[in-house]
Amino acid sequence: MLRKILNNMNPNYRRSFKSLTITILFFLSLNLSVSAQFATLSPQTKVSLVTFGPGEELYSGFGHSTIWIYDPMLRLDNAYSYGTFSFESGNFYIKFLRGTLPYKISVEPMALLVPYYRSENRSISEQVLNLSQEQKQKLYNYLETNYLPQNRLYQYKYFYDNCATRLVDALKAATGDSLIYTGYTKEKLSFRQWIDRYAFKQNPWADFGMDLAIGAQSDEIATAEQATFLPDNLATAFADAKIKTASGVMPLVNFKNDLFTAEPIVYKGIFTPTVTFWALAVLVLALTYWQTKKEIVNFTLDKVLFGIVGLAGWILVILWAIRNDGTTQWNYDILWAFPLWMPLIFFFSEKKKPYWFQFMLIFYGFLLLCATGNVLKHNYVVIPIIITLIIRVYYINNSLSKIPEKG
């Protein structure tokens, strides 16, 4: 019948029809080959969210999340992680600073990950998910599709697209409308406050550095779903989530296993940023009082102090300019970390002063006043820093009257 229709068809139409048929068959065969490349999971398959606790290194200080698919019948032991990067990437440090370092999904056996994280003294907890066989298969196919070489890399964004948030996307793709997920609803904090809660415990100096580098975007209050950028919050959100099944609405998490409980991490250093900068403020106050009482004009301390402040300001400017994910933009620390102190410190002199120097000093005093308005949103270590700078601005201003003006 089909041959008869083709024989009676206009030759030009006949060629077009054959080309269209070949094209359709090609894509059908391609689709079948793609769907066939993933194994069919057995009914014994277990799907879990595994949460690893914070480590001592800065990059591990916020924990980690994976989806673990275990099928004893297929001898499948796959833990899918969206937080892998390579130090061998070209221009690694430039890409890292700019936020353009490509991250990728990786797959490792859980049998190897557990002893590794135990050796790093990082807690391991498993939440077995209450998914249907169809949902397990969809989740497995979704993750395996992401693991294909052409899909493996992605643009990591610390707050919005990381190892934890990607797992929510995967779960939603597998469960569709049956998932009842509200995110982390226990408390509302800004992104900066969430970072402080974790980073300070591991390393207060690293926490101070991160707090100094990130901008106004981090002071936004994270929504319930955005708060799951932290693995611990994601685990709590999964525990609170529900899923619609044939038997009714059920908890998403069937049960929890604590695979390893780590010893608490305690920072053993004495000179934390808080101790260091408050001690510096007291010493500067004592020195300034002595210099003022003795009517001594000496700017050696100010050249060092404001030189460091200026260099810090230029680092903030560079991060603001080159970072492409917005986390370092609109950084109000630049008010007190005034970049132009470097090179203005070279105009400090006990013998003569530029005519414009006092106006610049008044302007910087105004910036310091503005900087105090951001303190409540910030790491409180900034308070002794601002106090120290105000003390020295007061000293410099009083000393200017004793210095002849530069002609």
Side-chain angles (χ1 to χ4, degrees), residues 5 22 56 63 175 181 225 229 311 315 319 344 385:
I5 293 174
I22 292 171
E56 294 186 5
T175 58
Y181 178 82
E225 190 154 345
F229 81 102
L311 288 175
I315 292 173
L319 288 175
L344 289 178
I385 294 175

Side-chain angles (χ1 to χ4, degrees), residues 7 33 35 57 74 133 200-201 226 231 253 287 311 319 344 396:
N7 289 336
S33 65
S35 62
E57 300 296 334
L74 296 179
Q133 186 65 24
F200 186 82
K201 293 179 182 178
Q226 288 172 343
V253 176
L287 176 63
L311 288 175
L319 288 175
L344 289 178
I396 296 170

